[in-house]
Each structure stands twice: as structure tokens, then as C-alpha cells.
């Protein structure tokens, strides 16, 4: 059977089901628990639950959203406390949540899958709408340094390229990521620089990883 959605391929679901959680995210989430009484966390693009499940086990009340039903089913099989982790099929640019309803937002490897700057910006604004004032945002996205410097973006797009996978995806430099999030109301967390992880040859893209907070104004 041919899958139109590459994220629903059985081998991809199996691989992501076995992926360990992001250690930087888990450490920051534990620190945030000491600073804030809020426990509602929104994981946008939760996939097979590699972060959502351990975050729920760590005490967060997690809503995990994803468009891939096989990914959600894989995450559901890992549930041991349905009260702490709920799963729902939803797009990143149409979040089925109320305004200012979450204490923590996770966008781990999801916004880079937007096919246009418009979709990317709508998704970021949706996350800002869902976040309470002061809520942290953990973002993990594709870096422009994945591609050779001479590579040109899609016509009319500032940071959308097709060269990596054959599909339009977003690859940003650090300044673009900061600007896009700032325009939506997220400020970079003081004292925590954006990290860039180099590309693994012939496999993974380079990554930008950062922590921001929803502004209170």
C-alpha cells in the first residue's frame, strides 16, 4: 500500500517510536516545573510520543497533536496514564485549543515541515495564541546550513527549499528564527543561546534549537 504521507510509513513510525526524548528539552522542562505551578503542555507535532510520553511521566499534563494517525496510534500504545497524556489529530496551523490555555509549548521538528512561509507563520501564531503569557516555547527546527550556500529558495519564499527531500520545507538561519518568533510574540530566553547541531553527512539536517517565552504584552 502506497502512503501519500511519508510520516505514516511503517518504517518511519517504528524508527520514531524508538527515538529517545530530547535531553535538553527534558532538563529544561524539569527546571520549569520548579519555577511554575502550571502543568499544561502542548506538544505540536508529537509524532510517536518520543517527547510527549516522558514529559507526561515527568508530571506534565500533555496534549499531543499530530496529523499522522499511525504516529498517534504508536504514541497511544505507549500510554500508561491517559489522564496525563491526551492525543489528537490536528494540523500545526489549526490548533484545536483555547487561547492562552497552555503553560509550555513544544514545537520539536514540526514547523520546518511547513510548505510555505505563510504556513510557517500561521503555525507560529497559533502556538502564540495557545500560550499563556510567560509560557516557554521549546523549538527544534531545520537550519539553513543544511544546504549549500548557493542553494536558492523557492521563488517568492524567504526560507523554503526543496533540495533536501524533494518537498518544500523550511530552513532558517538563526536571525530569521528569532525574527519570526519575535513577530509572533515569543522572546528569546535570556542567557540561553540558540544551539546549532551540524548535519550528519547524507542523513539528518542541521538543527537550530532554542528556548523562548511568550511575552506578557
Amino acid at each position: 500500500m502506497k502512503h501519500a504521507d511519508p510520516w505514516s510509513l511503517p518504517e518511519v513510525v517504528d524508527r520514531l517510536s524508538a527515538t529517545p526524548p530530547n535531553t535538553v528539552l527534558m532538563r529544561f522542562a524539569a527546571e520549569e516545573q520548579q519555577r511554575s505551578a502550571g502543568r499544561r503542555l502542548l506538544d505540536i507535532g508529537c509524532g510517536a510520543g518520543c517527547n510527549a510520553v516522558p514529559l507526561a511521566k515527568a508530571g506534565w499534563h500533555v496534549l499531543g497533536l499530530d496529523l499522522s494517525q499511525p504516529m498517534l496510534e504508536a504514541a497511544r500504545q505507549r500510554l500508561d496514564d491517559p489522564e496525563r497524556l491526551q492525543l489528537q489529530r490536528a494540523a500545526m496551523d489549526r490548533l484545536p485549543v483555547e487561547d492562552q490555555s497552555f503553560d509550555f509549548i513544544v514545537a520539536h521538528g514540526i514547523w520546518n515541515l511547513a510548505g510555505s512561509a505563510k504556513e510557517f507563520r500561521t503555525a507560529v501564531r497559533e502556538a502564540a495564541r495557545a500560550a499563556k503569557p510567560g509560557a516557554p516555547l521549546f523549538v527544534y527546527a531545520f537550519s539553513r546550513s543544511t544546504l549549500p550556500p548557493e542553494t536558492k529558495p523557492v521563488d517568492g519564499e524567504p526560507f523554503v527549499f526543496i533540495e533536501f527531500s524533494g518537498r518544500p520545507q523550511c530552513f532558517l538561519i538563526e536571525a530569521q528564527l528569532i525574527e519570526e518568533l519575535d513577530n509572533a510574540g515569543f522572546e528569546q530566553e535570556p542567557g540561553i543561546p540558540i544551539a546549532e547541531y551540524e548535519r550528519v553527512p547524507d542523513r539528518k539536517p542541521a538543527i537550530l534549537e532554542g528556548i523562548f517565552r511568550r511575552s506578557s504584552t
Side-chain angles (χ1 to χ4, degrees):
M1 178 178 178
K2 183 177 179 180
H3 292 266
D5 175 14
W7 298 103
S8 294
L9 292 170
E11 59 269 27
V12 176
V13 175
D14 289 345
R15 174 171 57 83
L16 293 183
S17 295
T19 300
N22 184 300
T23 55
V24 177
L25 168 59
M26 294 302 297
R27 182 171 62 250
F28 181 80
E31 294 169 354
E32 188 65 17
Q33 284 180 320
Q34 304 302 314
R35 289 188 287 261
S36 172
R39 289 293 182 271
R40 294 199 71 201
L41 185 147
L42 178 63
D43 187 355
I44 306 168
C46 67
C50 66
N51 292 314
V53 171
L55 285 166
K57 289 181 177 179
W60 292 92
H61 293 275
V62 180
L63 173 60
L65 304 177
D66 206 278
L67 266 181
S68 169
Q69 194 61 42
M71 285 288 186
L72 292 172
E73 290 302 323
R76 189 168 285 112
Q77 292 176 13
R78 303 168 64 183
L79 288 177
D80 56 10
D81 187 352
E83 295 297 318
R84 288 196 178 275
L85 175 56
Q86 298 179 328
L87 300 167
Q88 187 173 346
R89 190 171 185 269
M92 60 179 160
D93 57 346
R94 296 185 301 277
L95 302 180
V97 302
E98 296 180 358
D99 295 358
Q100 298 186 9
S101 53
F102 285 89
D103 305 289
F104 199 130
I105 308 291
V106 174
H108 193 282
I110 180 64
W111 290 338
N112 42 263
L113 302 181
S116 66
K118 180 180 179 180
E119 184 181 5
F120 179 96
R121 289 164 179 162
T122 301
V124 175
R125 288 197 301 271
E126 275 288 272
R129 178 183 66 79
K132 293 180 181 179
L137 162 71
F138 187 92
V139 60
Y140 184 97
F142 292 171
S143 168
R144 173 64 180 82
S145 63
T146 300
L147 305 170
E150 65 273 15
T151 309
K152 301 297 183 183
V154 174
D155 287 347
E157 293 284 353
F159 45 71
V160 176
F161 300 80
I162 62 171
E163 282 73 13
F164 183 71
S165 67
R167 302 185 303 277
Q169 296 175 317
C170 296
F171 294 81
L172 289 77
I173 63 172
E174 179 178 325
Q176 287 173 319
L177 180 62
I178 293 172
E179 180 181 11
E180 294 294 332
L181 293 179
D182 181 71
N183 288 341
F186 287 108
E187 301 172 347
Q188 190 175 1
E189 182 80 343
I192 301 182
I194 292 176
E196 181 165 9
Y197 304 119
E198 294 182 359
R199 179 180 179 181
V200 178
D202 300 321
R203 290 200 300 122
K204 298 179 180 179
I207 294 295
L208 293 175
E209 179 183 85
I211 298 172
F212 295 76
R213 282 192 189 271
R214 184 68 170 95
S215 64
S216 56
T217 58

